[in-house]
Amino acid sequence: EPEVTQTPSHQVTQMGQEVILRCVPISNHLYFYWYRQILGQKVEFLVSFYNNEISEKSEIFDDQFSVERPDGSNFTLKIRSTKLEDSAMYFCASSEMGTSFYNSPLHFGNGTRLTVT
Amino acid sequence: DAKTTQPNSMESNEEEPVHLPCNHSTISGTDYIHWYRQLPSQGPEYVIHGLTSNVNNRMASLAIAEDRKSSTLILHRATLRDAAVYYCIPLIQGAQKLVFGQGTRLTINP
């Protein structure tokens, strides 16, 4: 069964450094998402992406964050200047977006654990 | 976002059925009800979804109350692998994202 893959599985970075988290969505999917989960807390929506542009973003997704689909297969999340509070699991997801969003399950990757020191 | 209420935790025994309840009294008639689960150290995983009638798939069954104010996810024969946090997520018309709550942490005893 096709799956969403994320790399790296664990990223350690120093505060103030830039990080890029990478995702390969399922190939025929059209909607892409980033979520994050701080240890012990809820899974939080960051951003959705469709037709090469951001569809929706949360308050968390400020100017430090950006997303890109550089080559038609990868979907990346960049954090320009990491803060300690950015430490979390970051999940990428994709959706086929068949007849409607409501009938199209999201498929999640297993995440990248980002540790900011 | 529609408010949902789920028990914080539940416990069951292996090979027994599990009924996971969810109250979503504020949803409208066109809002789908989705269930996802998150196994330890993994990303969320789709389980099942429905609108009005009961739904079955290879993973579970979803029983939706006639007034749609609540639903129950049914695992017919729990295995140790079903230990996870289960999320009940109404999809509001016009929304294009899932909003996760705290979910129910299900423990399966051998």
Side-chain angles (χ1 to χ4, degrees), chain B residues 22-98:
Chain B
C22 178
N23 286 321
H24 34 72
S25 57
T26 60
I27 67 169
S28 73
T30 54
D31 296 341
Y32 279 79
I33 300 151
H34 282 234
W35 283 79
Y36 282 74
R37 72 181 185 180
Q38 188 174 20
L39 278 64
S41 302
Q42 294 191 25
E45 175 187 30
Y46 167 78
V47 178
I48 200 166
H49 76 282
L51 182 61
T52 54
S53 55
N54 296 342
V55 185
N56 300 295
N57 67 19
R58 62 177 178 83
M59 289 181 72
S61 295
L62 177 59
I64 301 172
E66 201 170 324
D67 63 6
R68 291 184 17 94
K69 293 184 185 301
S70 65
S71 61
T72 301
L73 180 71
I74 302 165
L75 307 178
H76 293 285
R77 200 159 167 259
T79 69
L80 295 178
R81 197 194 171 276
D82 292 319
V85 179
Y86 286 78
Y87 301 97
C88 163
I89 305 175
L91 280 190
I92 311 302
Q93 275 292 324
Q96 300 275 318
K97 65 180 187 287
L98 299 175

Side-chain angles (χ1 to χ4, degrees), chain A residues 40-71:
Chain A
Q41 298 188 24
K42 294 189 289 188
V43 178
E44 300 175 288
F45 169 78
L46 292 178
V47 66
S48 59
F49 191 86
Y50 172 70
N51 203 24
N52 282 321
E53 60 183 25
I54 290 174
S55 301
E56 187 174 349
K57 59 184 181 180
S58 71
E59 291 178 355
I60 303 167
F61 194 89
D62 61 21
D63 292 343
Q64 293 297 316
F65 291 87
S66 63
V67 289
E68 196 177 37
R69 190 156 158 78
D71 56 11

Side-chain angles (χ1 to χ4, degrees), chain A residues 33-103:
Chain A
Y33 302 82
W34 284 100
Y35 283 78
R36 80 172 186 188
Q37 187 174 31
I38 296 170
L39 186 64
Q41 298 188 24
K42 294 189 289 188
V43 178
E44 300 175 288
F45 169 78
L46 292 178
V47 66
S48 59
F49 191 86
Y50 172 70
N51 203 24
N52 282 321
E53 60 183 25
I54 290 174
S55 301
E56 187 174 349
K57 59 184 181 180
S58 71
E59 291 178 355
I60 303 167
F61 194 89
D62 61 21
D63 292 343
Q64 293 297 316
F65 291 87
S66 63
V67 289
E68 196 177 37
R69 190 156 158 78
D71 56 11
S73 62
N74 291 287
F75 181 50
T76 61
L77 174 69
K78 182 193 290 187
I79 309 174
R80 286 188 186 79
S81 178
T82 50
K83 303 188 278 282
L84 294 176
E85 53 264 38
D86 294 327
S87 295
M89 282 291 287
Y90 287 81
F91 295 109
C92 172
S94 67
S95 169
E96 187 177 6
M97 196 46 189
T99 52
S100 79
F101 173 78
Y102 312 101
N103 270 315

